[in-house]
Amino acid sequence: MAKVLVVTSGKGGVGKTTSTAALGAALAQSGQNVVVVDFDVGLRNLDLVMGAERRVVFDLINVVQGVAKLPQALIRDKRLENLWLLPASQTRDKDALTDEGVGRVIAELRSRFDWILCDSPAGIERGATLAMRYADEAVIVTNPEVSSVRDSDRIIGMLDSKTVRAERGERVEKHILITRYDPARAARGEMLNIDDILEILATPLLGIIPESQDVLKASNVGTPVTLNNAESAPARAYIDASRRLMGEEVAMVVPAERKGFMDRLLGRRAA
Amino acid sequence: MSMRLLRLFGSREATAPVARERLQILLAHERGLLGQSDLLVTLREEILAVVSKHIQLDPDKVIVKLERGKTVSTLEVDIEVPNNFDKSKAAIERRMAG
């Protein structure tokens, strides 16, 4: 049965698009049929992170408005044949999305894919509410930092009230994905503790993605980090998270500091 | 000087517990507010529906406020009633009040 999963956060810049691309690719790498859908109308970036920016012809709004058929707008990944992208429009604004139109597109995607990952825009307005509207599950991307946790709390409230599932009295299954985790700062007690974040948000953990140059390198070349360097720490964390989404039990790894003696002596931060 | 020495040896003050506490207080407050606004909307609608059975009201002149105090909270309902409202309905209204 197809699953619709929204990747959301409220706050901008926490890693929604990176996480959508990485989780989507990881699910596809394990044989699932996956489509990643960009809901950030006017500020699309999932195409860029996926390396498909020059192949966009039609987009989500064209399909919602019936200008293009779904297969015309879907872009197949160059590396994985079971990974697809439905881009957002760059020129239209978010008001072009309608609840009913999005519902139709999601229903059609459900018949074609195992996983539909909706990359939400930041904020709590139309784009964000429509990205979560038809979700069965939600990944709430959270940085270990006060403003991000506050916004996540707000988004959790919306997932529990504004989604189709919530209105039917059903639950959207929610997961917290901690990104940009810095082990060195955590060790110094400068970063919100993971247990504290989970307790405050009262939501289970999907994974902890360490802050890493590998994430930036992957987006530079337009490849999801799980495909660009599958052995890197963030890629392994995303792959583990994707296995948990598929229902596997995978032991949680808290990223640890890897520092040499001299670094320790000089109090240098891990790269 | 002593602070600097302390810092040199890495016993910097942890700020994470402060962050946690601030968040807990803030979110308890915000969740309350959001929950409250829903409650107020419901109360306002239902009060309006009940009173409208007997008196013609301007929905905009019905104000429902909830003020949270330390030990008790007060619910304030302010309904502006036009002077020319139906007399028979007013009698019912008086009986209900008595």
Side-chain angles (χ1 to χ4, degrees), chain A residues 150 153 189-191 196 200, chain B residues 14-16 20 26-27 30-31:
Chain A
R150 180 198 211 174
D153 189 73
E190 291 173 7
M191 204 172 61
D196 289 342
I200 288 170
Chain B
T15 51
R20 183 194 57 205
L26 173 73
L27 292 183
E30 285 187 345
R31 285 173 191 158

Side-chain angles (χ1 to χ4, degrees), chain A residues 220-260:
Chain A
N220 282 345
V221 295
T223 307
V225 68
T226 50
L227 280 171
N228 197 46
N229 181 2
E231 290 307 308
S232 65
R236 276 182 288 141
Y238 275 122
I239 290 165
D240 282 356
S242 74
R243 289 170 59 196
R244 291 185 194 108
L245 283 176
M246 290 184 286
E248 278 182 58
E249 291 251 350
V250 185
M252 192 66 69
V253 180
V254 179
E257 259 185 293
R258 276 189 301 172
K259 291 206 301 188

